[in-house]
Amino acid sequence: MEMKNAVNATDTGAQYDEKVKRLLGNKIILAHILVKVIDEFQKMEPKDVVSYIESEPVIGTVPVEPGLTNTVTEKDGHRIVGLNTENLEINEGLIRFDIIFYVRMKDGISQVIINLEAQKDEPTGYHILNRAIFYASRLVSSQKERDFVKTNYNDIKRVFSIWICMNLDNNCMNYVHLTDDSLMGVHKWKGRLDLLNIVLIGIADELPEYDDEYDLHRLLNALLSAELSVSEKLEIIETEYDIPIDDRMREDVSTMCNLSQGIFEKGEARGEARGEARGEARGEARRETRFILNMYQKGYTLEQIADVAEKSMDEIKVIIGDKESVLV
């Protein structure tokens, strides 16, 4: 029964994560984020920034792994390279970008690539900045033959990897980027230091008061909070931020609230079950190992397994053993 509850909790968690991505993937929400992190859009009205977001953001379908981010097709004798959003069943179990999209700059010519990632809390099995650097680097390297060809490195587009991390002790935001420190002599090296950008946004549990400094944090807190009711969330989003609430957003907010409650209740149930099983620790360890291996074989990601099993990712890798090399 405990294993069944854990699998159900994983399914519930996956559904919750999907709703979070869909809500954050709304263009008006993305526009509010862009106003705070892209220098060119600062002080603009978010509703005016929406038109600069090109096509629809791609949510949860582009693999991060080297060699799999792009797809190559042939059409009318021409080689076409684009983001890999096909054959998802073949790539099941791979780590994917949460949200990825292009933004056209105000000059109407240049573009930047935006990746948005959501974390329910700060990971304990690895340092989040290390992962963010990997993702940002992939956004740069995957442009070859898609956004620039051969050695035309001057055509590399700026990339932003933006990480929203919930359940922190305080609201914060950090900008990590390249700098040029002269160690000896004077020489002006040609190139752009603004190509690789990482923004880490920490969201505290408590809803901040509405002011300019915490404008974005209040919106994200209201959108993702497990404490506020559906009506409270929609009231803040619509009245304070002038964001139109359509049926899809209303449904997603409502479903997310229900799922977050379900995750809390299942977590309590698992805690009670663990307390009752203390006298059978050795047998429980064997069942837990089988459960972890079963989740791995079914394609769950390392993070999902670690979350449900309440272990670090290093511990999960040890249990999985010789399959560790295929994990990210």
Side-chain angles (χ1 to χ4, degrees):
M1 179 63 68
E2 182 179 0
M3 183 178 295
K4 181 178 179 181
N5 287 339
V7 172
N8 288 338
T10 302
D11 291 340
T12 301
Q15 294 177 54
Y16 175 84
D17 290 344
E18 183 62 27
K19 293 301 180 184
V20 168
K21 294 174 190 176
R22 278 182 49 170
L23 285 170
L24 291 174
N26 277 277
K27 285 189 175 182
I28 185 60
I29 302 298
L30 295 174
H32 275 271
I33 296 172
L34 294 179
V35 165
K36 294 296 184 180
V37 303
I38 305 292
D39 46 8
E40 188 168 349
F41 296 133
Q42 289 180 7
K43 299 184 178 180
M44 286 183 62
E45 290 294 327
K47 63 181 180 180
D48 296 329
V49 176
V50 169
S51 62
Y52 292 96
I53 300 175
E54 298 194 327
S55 65
E56 289 299 318
V58 180
I59 301 176
T61 59
V62 178
V64 176
E65 277 78 359
L68 295 179
T69 303
N70 298 335
T71 184
V72 181
T73 58
E74 295 284 341
K75 184 176 181 181
D76 299 329
H78 296 283
R79 184 172 182 268
I80 301 173
V81 182
L83 293 172
N84 183 11
T85 60
E86 301 177 353
N87 300 323
L88 298 185
E89 69 283 354
I90 296 176
N91 295 326
E92 197 63 41
L94 294 175
I95 301 298
R96 298 190 178 92
F97 292 109
D98 279 359
I99 302 171
I100 188 168
F101 58 100
Y102 285 81
V103 177
R104 180 72 61 179
M105 295 290 96
K106 290 190 290 185
D107 61 11
I109 300 175
S110 56
Q111 292 174 306
V112 297
I113 303 175
I114 308 293
N115 159 232
L116 182 65
E117 299 290 325
Q119 302 282 297
K120 71 179 185 306
D121 48 36
E122 188 169 7
T124 57
Y126 61 88
H127 299 305
I128 192 169
L129 180 56
N130 294 349
R131 185 178 176 186
I133 291 171
F134 175 73
Y135 276 45
S137 300
R138 286 293 301 128
L139 290 175
V140 172
S141 65
S142 67
Q143 292 182 50
K144 187 164 173 39
E145 306 307 328
R146 189 186 73 225
D147 297 297
F148 74 94
V149 296
K150 298 183 179 179
T151 59
N152 296 326
Y153 296 109
N154 287 354
D155 293 335
I156 295 176
K157 301 183 189 309
R158 295 174 70 196
V159 303
F160 283 80
S161 189
I162 304 169
W163 294 70
I164 297 172
C165 191
M166 296 171 274
N167 298 313
L168 263 63
D169 293 333
N170 59 83
N171 292 300
C172 56
M173 183 159 61
N174 292 71
Y175 176 41
V176 180
H177 53 102
L178 300 175
T179 60
D180 178 8
D181 295 324
S182 177
L183 301 180
M184 184 180 69
V186 178
H187 182 77
K188 180 64 175 179
W189 298 99
K190 297 179 180 179
R192 301 181 59 179
L193 290 174
D194 63 350
L195 290 179
L196 193 150
N197 305 272
I198 296 169
V199 180
L200 303 169
I201 303 174
I203 307 296
D205 290 335
E206 186 176 350
L207 182 72
E209 295 295 327
Y210 184 85
D211 61 31
D212 289 340
E213 183 179 8
Y214 294 110
D215 177 66
L216 177 60
H217 287 76
R218 182 174 173 84
L219 172 61
L220 294 175
N221 188 302
L223 195 68
L224 305 175
S225 171
E227 305 296 328
L228 300 177
S229 67
V230 175
S231 59
E232 289 173 323
K233 288 172 177 281
L234 297 178
E235 174 73 14
I236 292 173
I237 294 169
E238 188 170 26
T239 60
E240 294 184 12
Y241 294 90
D242 196 26
I243 296 175
I245 305 296
D246 57 20
D247 291 339
R248 179 175 174 177
M249 180 178 289
R250 189 181 304 275
E251 178 184 352
D252 285 346
V253 169
S254 177
T255 303
M256 192 177 71
C257 284
N258 292 334
L259 288 171
S260 64
Q261 181 61 30
I263 291 171
F264 174 76
E265 292 172 352
K266 286 183 173 64
E268 285 191 325
R270 290 200 306 276
E272 294 173 0
R274 282 195 301 273
E276 295 171 357
R278 283 173 184 167
E280 302 176 356
R282 187 172 300 173
E284 175 63 24
R286 287 195 297 269
R287 289 193 295 272
E288 185 178 62
T289 297
R290 288 197 300 270
F291 169 60
I292 289 171
L293 292 175
N294 185 51
M295 289 186 68
Y296 170 70
Q297 291 169 355
K298 289 181 179 295
Y300 288 100
T301 67
L302 180 60
E303 288 179 33
Q304 290 173 328
I305 298 173
D307 182 52
V308 174
E310 297 184 351
K311 291 181 176 296
S312 71
M313 286 188 290
D314 287 337
E315 290 175 308
I316 298 300
K317 287 181 180 180
V318 170
I319 292 172
I320 292 173
D322 62 353
K323 295 185 176 65
E324 178 182 348
S325 62
V326 302
L327 294 174
V328 174

